[in-house]
Amino acid sequence: MLLKRVLVGVFISLWTIFILLPLLWAAVTSIKPPTAVDFGATYIPFVEFEPSSLGWSSIFGGGGATTNLIPPLFNSVVITFAGAGISLVLGTISSYGLSRFAYKLGFIRNQDIVFFFISQRIMPPIVLSFPFFLMLRELSLLDTRLGLIIVSIAGLMPIVVWLMVDFFNGIPRELDEMAMLEGYSPFEVFGRVILPLTAPGLTVAGMFAVIFGWNDFFYPLVLTFGQITTLPLAIVSLNATVTPYWTLSAAAIFAILPLIVFAFAIERFLAKGSLSGAVR
């Protein structure tokens, strides 16, 4: 048992180092002056080199740079959180219905509907890109935030349904029945009894939706033409020109900072929603 715990601890430590080293390298490089990047390997700020704000100022249009990541950041925040929020609401309601009620349309049952949602994530994005392109063109929503939000909902809602159906299935149906015996309507049962118990599931589903939406690159690439640029597109476009390492490193760190802040902000909700005290 002791040997197993030691091996697990060593593995976790090595994996943590493997994950963090690229991030630390990027963070250090983002504050290096050009001389520290071009000549020799330097890693320790204030000891091996004097930190510089050149990399960070260049991604905000400072120092004569033409790059400004603030507008792409705003676009990504609006598209990601609007798409994730709407997907979370619609997906949660759909999941509750699929968990608590039986549907039948010919040979189609609840499990078939759930698999249909999951299949939307199995298909390669390029399969849906042309239909989405034609749909948004007919609606005059190409190269708009609203158009990308609609496409984002189509991609994120299956994730929410996939996660939340299993979570609702884990909540005893007796809770619904007890609440209805006390005079609650089905909507009140969902909103006042069951939904508060799903805080961990909602948190996990919301995290996955935000992460997938934030990192989406393909659909903004094929459905926009320069008017609306998301953060992943803006960072990739830096590689189209000769961009210094310190600027690329600052852009990479800047792109993941919102997700880190978001993860810390909602982490406390993972501990909520236990069933203790729910059953009388």
Side-chain angles (χ1 to χ4, degrees):
M1 181 63 69
L2 178 60
L3 178 61
K4 180 180 178 181
R5 294 176 62 182
V6 171
L7 292 177
V8 170
V10 171
F11 174 78
I12 293 176
S13 300
L14 292 176
W15 183 254
T16 302
I17 294 172
F18 176 76
I19 295 298
L20 290 181
L21 274 180
L23 297 178
L24 291 175
W25 181 89
V28 171
T29 304
S30 69
I31 59 173
K32 284 184 178 182
T35 53
V37 176
D38 295 336
F39 301 101
T42 53
Y43 304 101
I44 306 176
F46 299 105
V47 175
E48 295 181 314
F49 67 90
E50 286 295 323
S52 169
S53 62
L54 179 62
W56 287 92
S57 64
S58 61
I59 66 174
F60 300 130
T66 58
T67 302
N68 186 357
L69 296 184
I70 295 299
L73 172 67
F74 176 78
N75 292 332
S76 288
V77 168
V78 171
I79 294 167
T80 298
F81 284 93
I86 297 173
S87 299
L88 193 61
V89 172
L90 297 179
T92 301
I93 296 173
S94 302
S95 301
Y96 180 74
L98 290 170
S99 173
R100 291 301 195 260
F101 305 101
Y103 298 94
K104 180 181 178 182
L105 179 62
F107 63 89
I108 299 176
R109 301 292 188 274
N110 287 40
Q111 290 302 318
D112 301 311
I113 299 174
V114 174
F115 180 77
F116 168 77
F117 277 104
I118 298 175
S119 68
Q120 306 308 302
R121 297 299 306 183
I122 297 175
M123 285 190 297
I126 195 170
V127 175
L128 299 174
S129 60
F130 189 60
F132 279 146
F133 182 91
L134 295 179
M135 179 186 71
L136 295 184
R137 187 186 65 178
E138 292 300 318
L139 297 174
S140 300
L141 292 177
L142 281 175
D143 206 8
T144 64
R145 295 190 190 95
L146 180 58
L148 290 179
I149 290 173
I150 294 173
V151 173
S152 178
I153 294 170
L156 299 180
M157 187 173 167
I159 299 175
V160 177
V161 172
W162 174 45
L163 293 172
M164 292 304 296
V165 163
D166 286 338
F167 201 89
F168 282 121
N169 287 339
I171 298 178
R173 292 175 179 265
E174 289 76 9
L175 293 179
D176 304 58
E177 296 169 358
M178 290 170 56
M180 298 185 86
L181 287 175
E182 292 184 1
Y184 286 5
S185 68
F187 292 103
E188 290 176 324
V189 171
F190 171 69
R192 299 178 60 181
V193 178
I194 303 301
L195 194 60
L197 301 177
T198 62
L202 290 171
T203 302
V204 172
M207 287 181 62
F208 272 95
V210 168
I211 291 171
F212 277 97
W214 187 265
N215 293 326
D216 187 19
F217 172 77
F218 181 77
Y219 287 132
L221 176 66
V222 300
L223 300 177
T224 62
F225 312 106
Q227 187 68 28
I228 299 297
T229 303
T230 59
L231 196 55
L233 278 180
I235 293 176
V236 170
S237 68
L238 294 176
N239 290 318
T241 59
V242 182
T243 304
Y245 283 140
W246 50 89
T247 300
L248 290 174
S249 299
I253 298 298
F254 179 73
I256 65 174
L257 281 178
L259 289 183
I260 295 175
V261 173
F262 173 74
F264 276 108
I266 68 171
E267 183 271 336
R268 61 191 180 93
F269 292 104
L270 288 172
K272 294 185 178 181
S274 66
L275 295 178
S276 58
V279 181
R280 298 180 180 178

